[in-house]
Amino acid sequence: MQTVQIDWAHVEVGQELEPLVKPAISKVQLLKYAGASGDFNLIHTDVETAREVGLPGTIAHGMLSMGFLGQYASQLAGTSAFVSELKVRFAGMVFPGDVLTCRAKVVKKEAGKIELQLGVEREPGKALTSGEATLTLL
């Protein structure tokens, strides 16, 4: 598993951090996420149902990409900090087969805290899910 972590002593405002690349979204992953989240809406697991409501096919749960950003922020925090705040906005659909990249940029650094601008993208520069996170030193 790929891991990333902030070097608190050397991180600078404006710095883009090492991205986290997630493996391609699979149908099995969507089925497992449906069970874990309790969201059994068939647009996430059944192609026919998804197409009946006007989608091109099944789509991933929005909260799955939010979970990826939470995982990424937590890895960036490492063992010496924690994610004290996480906010996201959904801007696009995620489909089975998509390889997603989580990106972060440092927007503020103060004593014991770092604020990040986050995004999950399929294509560079086009966030499907965007947000902010605050990491706080323990």
Side-chain angles (χ1 to χ4, degrees):
M1 177 171 83
Q2 176 187 359
T3 59
V4 292
Q5 185 174 339
I6 288 179
D7 179 353
W8 285 77
H10 298 101
V11 70
E12 301 285 336
V13 172
Q15 181 178 346
E16 293 190 13
L17 303 174
E18 180 182 347
L20 173 66
V21 179
K22 300 297 294 180
I25 302 293
S26 70
K27 180 167 182 146
V28 170
Q29 182 177 31
L30 297 180
L31 290 167
K32 288 180 178 181
Y33 191 83
S37 68
D39 181 352
F40 295 100
N41 187 324
L42 291 177
I43 65 170
H44 303 301
T45 57
D46 182 69
V47 173
E48 289 176 11
T49 301
R51 289 186 177 146
E52 284 175 10
V53 299
L55 296 169
T58 57
I59 61 171
H61 303 75
M63 297 301 282
L64 180 62
S65 60
M66 178 179 169
F68 292 160
L69 286 181
Q71 174 193 16
Y72 181 43
S74 180
Q75 287 182 0
L76 289 170
T79 57
S80 58
F82 65 99
V83 180
S84 56
E85 188 171 7
L86 177 65
K87 298 177 186 178
V88 302
R89 291 170 297 287
F90 303 105
M93 292 183 273
V94 174
F95 300 97
D98 283 352
V99 173
L100 301 177
T101 301
C102 300
R103 298 193 184 279
K105 182 177 181 178
V106 178
V107 294
K108 187 175 181 181
K109 181 181 178 184
E110 56 186 43
K113 286 189 180 186
I114 294 175
E115 292 181 17
L116 303 173
Q117 177 183 37
L118 302 171
V120 173
E121 55 190 38
R122 176 177 43 237
E123 302 171 49
K126 295 182 180 180
L128 300 170
T129 305
S130 60
E132 300 88 37
T134 301
L135 310 182
T136 304
L137 281 173
L138 295 172

